[in-house]
């Protein structure tokens, strides 16, 4: 099936996890599960945008003009004296505007004559430098919608709306199983015929980037008993992510073992590169992803399929990385029939256009190509040998930035 068909099927099988209440300070990266309405208007009262003097507008008709200072209003003080003609009130940024104020004159537009007299040299426009009540948000307005992933500015906005706790989606428990007799995780010299375990730490990090809870990272050997034990020990997870052993080699036991344990296969193989032999299905209520063992394939499949699933489990509405139009910096060799996810580096030009070039050779074992990439170039199935300058769609990798 195509990548879009695979995503549609995965989403149809993805449930919504329960919501939980947590403190706002611990909500970063979580998915909000309630609409946030302001408890009062923002700002809650008229306040000064400058350090200066609250004045009556008629006192500014003839300038310069000397006014008597009758009070001082720092931020947090309630004004007690209304303004009168010929008088002014010193006010600080954020201070509440006193009655009868027509304008605030910045300190820079005045001269201090003595402790009680200020000379005004310049007249501001009516209500200039006054922040009006509800200028930003009205009372009971929705300021943050349910389903959004919480960022630092959203935490600030929720706090401004008067909340100290919020309802969020429960974090999914994710069991990670990497398979392969060749994997080596110990410190020291690499033994003959062994390779370092990339998928264990790399996929764990991708799970944590989206706030998934890694409840176990198990290395299973290329035999049925080891794989079966690892799966049985992971059955309480919301999601099982496996890497390796999902193709058709003599030692690819994952699919067969899963079926013996009651696995419901939903699909196996996607028309894509890298990551064609991807497996997805259900083990009772647990979602199971069988990713290829090559580290790039595993990482790209996680980005395209597992990451959106974890966000959807938590109640996220914006679960896919947005795509941007870019122009190829060089030609790419590609046959029709497969969707290619090409590791790329996108750069902004002076005119705002994005130019993207590949990270070089795209073999699925070249993990350094993923390290240097800031995006994936999406080449649809029917695209053949795109040329330099052709428009393409790119999606930013969540840990990278466009330069």
């Amino acid at each position: 099936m195509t990548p879009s068909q695979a995503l549609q099927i995965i989403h149809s099988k993805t449930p919504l996890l329960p919501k939980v209440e947590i403190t706002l300070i611990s909500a970063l990266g979580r998915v909000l599960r309630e609409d946030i309405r302001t408890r009062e208007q923002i700002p809650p009262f008229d306040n000064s945008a400058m350090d200066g003097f609250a004045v009556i507008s008629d006192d500014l008709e003839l300038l310069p003009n000397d006014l008597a200072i009758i009070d001082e209003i720092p931020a947090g003080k309630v004004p007690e004296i209304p303004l009168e003609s010929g008088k002014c009130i010193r006010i600080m940024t954020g201070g509440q505007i006193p009655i009868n104020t027509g304008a605030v004159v910045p300190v820079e537009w005045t001269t201090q004559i003595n402790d009680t007299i200020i000379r005004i040299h310049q007249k501001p426009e009516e209500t200039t430098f006054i922040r009006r009540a509800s200028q930003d948000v009205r009372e009971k307005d929705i300021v943050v919608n349910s389903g959004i992933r919480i960022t630092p500015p959203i935490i600030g906005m929720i706090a401004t709306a008067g909340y100290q706790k919020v309802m969020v989606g429960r974090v999914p428990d994710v069991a990670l199983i990497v398979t392969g007799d060749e994997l080596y995780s110990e410190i020291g010299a690499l033994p003959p015929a062994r390779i370092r375990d990339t998928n264990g730490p790399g996929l764990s990090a991708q799970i944590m980037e989206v706030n998934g809870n890694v409840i176990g990272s198990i290395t299973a050997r290329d035999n049925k008993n080891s794989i079966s034990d690892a799966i049985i020990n992971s059955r309480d997870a919301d999601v099982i992510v496996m890497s390796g052993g999902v193709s058709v080699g003599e030692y690819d036991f994952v699919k067969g073992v899963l079926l013996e344990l009651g696995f419901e296969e939903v699909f196996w193989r996607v028309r894509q590169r890298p990551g064609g032999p991807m497996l997805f299905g259900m083990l009772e209520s647990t979602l199971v992803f069988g990713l290829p063992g090559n580290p790039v394939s595993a990482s790209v499949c996680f980005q395209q399929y597992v990451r959106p699933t974890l966000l959807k489990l938590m109640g996220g509405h914006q679960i896919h990385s947005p795509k941007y139009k870019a122009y190829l910096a060089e030609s790419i060799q590609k046959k029709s029939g497969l969707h290619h996810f090409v590791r790329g580096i996108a750069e902004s030009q002076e005119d705002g256009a994005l130019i993207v070039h590949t990270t070089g050779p795209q073999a699925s074992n070249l993990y350094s190509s993923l390290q240097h990439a800031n995006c994936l170039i999406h080449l649809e199935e029917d695209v053949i040998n795109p040329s330099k300058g052709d428009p393409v769609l790119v999606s930013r990798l969540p840990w990278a930035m466009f330069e």
Side-chain angles (χ1 to χ4, degrees):
M1 62 182 61
T2 66
S4 60
Q5 290 170 332
L7 278 170
Q8 184 176 2
I9 291 171
I10 292 169
H11 292 341
S12 71
K13 299 289 186 179
T14 303
L16 186 65
L17 294 180
K19 53 188 177 182
V20 295
E21 186 177 53
I22 63 173
T23 60
L24 182 57
I25 198 66
S26 61
L28 182 64
R30 304 289 288 272
V31 174
L32 186 65
R33 290 283 289 278
E34 63 175 323
D35 289 335
I36 300 299
R37 294 180 180 272
T38 53
R39 304 203 189 281
E40 56 269 326
Q41 60 189 358
I42 305 171
F45 51 83
D46 294 351
N47 69 91
S48 177
M50 302 286 288
D51 289 341
F53 297 87
V55 300
I56 293 174
S57 297
D58 289 346
D59 287 336
L60 303 179
E61 292 303 317
L62 294 176
L63 294 177
N65 190 14
D66 293 351
L67 301 177
I69 305 170
I70 60 172
D71 197 8
E72 181 172 288
I73 303 175
K77 176 183 176 181
V78 177
E80 299 176 352
I81 303 174
L83 270 175
E84 299 177 7
S85 180
K87 299 177 181 180
C88 67
I89 295 177
R90 189 188 301 274
I91 192 167
M92 309 305 170
T93 302
Q96 185 171 342
I97 299 296
I99 296 172
N100 298 332
T101 299
V104 170
V105 179
V107 171
E108 295 85 348
W109 296 3
T110 68
T111 301
Q112 187 87 30
I113 303 302
N114 55 44
D115 291 344
T116 60
I117 301 295
I118 197 76
R119 180 167 295 164
I120 309 295
H121 297 282
Q122 188 173 339
K123 177 182 179 181
E125 296 294 329
E126 190 77 11
T127 72
T128 302
F129 307 127
I130 297 177
R131 303 166 178 153
R132 291 301 182 188
S134 77
Q135 181 181 16
D136 190 8
V137 180
R138 296 171 300 180
E139 183 180 359
K140 297 184 179 179
D141 274 356
I142 295 177
V143 291
V144 187
N145 292 105
S146 177
I148 196 167
R149 197 171 181 206
I150 298 173
T151 62
I154 288 175
I155 285 181
M157 191 69 241
I158 295 173
T160 301
Y163 291 70
Q164 294 181 342
K165 294 183 177 181
V166 288
M167 300 299 297
V168 298
R170 177 173 70 77
V171 168
D173 292 330
V174 184
L176 177 61
I177 303 172
V178 295
T179 69
D181 287 341
E182 75 279 13
L183 300 180
Y184 187 73
S185 303
E186 305 300 323
I187 299 173
L190 195 63
R194 304 288 290 277
I195 62 173
R196 302 285 184 187
D197 176 18
T198 300
N199 284 336
L203 292 174
S204 291
Q206 286 187 261
I207 294 167
M208 290 186 286
E209 182 275 326
V210 76
N211 278 80
N213 179 33
V214 183
I215 61 172
S217 182
I218 302 171
T219 300
R221 297 307 172 190
D222 286 328
N223 65 75
K224 292 183 179 180
N225 288 337
S226 179
I227 293 170
S228 179
D229 288 345
I231 294 170
I232 290 171
N233 290 333
S234 303
R235 295 186 75 152
D236 291 336
D238 298 301
V239 181
I240 296 175
V241 176
M242 305 186 69
S243 71
V246 294
S247 193
V248 293
E250 291 295 322
Y251 292 89
D252 289 329
F253 298 124
V254 166
K255 183 180 174 183
V257 172
L258 280 167
L259 291 171
E260 291 175 3
L261 294 173
F263 175 69
E264 175 195 345
E265 179 185 328
V266 177
F267 66 77
W268 178 51
R269 294 186 176 276
V270 183
R271 294 203 298 271
Q272 65 185 22
R273 182 174 293 169
M278 191 181 84
L279 175 69
F280 172 74
M282 307 286 296
L283 190 60
E284 297 178 350
S285 62
T286 300
L287 303 176
V288 180
F289 291 88
L291 311 182
N294 277 320
V296 172
S297 299
S299 181
V300 169
C301 285
F302 186 98
Q303 168 67 15
Q304 293 301 308
Y305 303 102
V306 185
R307 187 179 190 273
T309 300
L310 298 182
L311 287 171
K312 187 173 176 62
L313 282 166
M314 291 184 280
H317 293 167
Q318 301 168 344
I319 61 175
H320 297 290
S321 299
K323 293 186 176 70
Y324 304 92
K325 184 178 181 179
Y327 298 91
L328 288 177
E330 72 256 15
S331 299
I332 299 177
Q333 295 296 310
K334 177 192 176 296
K335 297 179 180 180
S336 65
L338 293 177
H339 185 122
H340 281 214
F341 299 106
V342 179
R343 283 85 77 195
I345 302 173
E347 298 175 337
S348 297
Q349 305 301 295
E350 290 185 1
D351 61 0
L354 279 177
I355 300 296
V356 62
H357 54 88
T358 73
T359 56
Q362 295 290 302
S364 58
N365 64 312
L366 301 178
Y367 200 76
S368 61
S369 66
L370 192 62
Q371 172 197 348
H372 299 301
N374 63 9
C375 68
L376 294 177
I377 307 169
H378 295 258
L379 301 179
E380 303 286 346
E381 292 178 67
D382 57 355
V383 173
I384 302 175
N385 296 336
S387 301
K388 178 180 178 179
D390 283 354
V392 293
L393 291 178
V394 301
S395 58
R396 184 178 61 81
L397 292 168
W399 54 83
M401 298 288 290
F402 290 159
E403 299 180 1

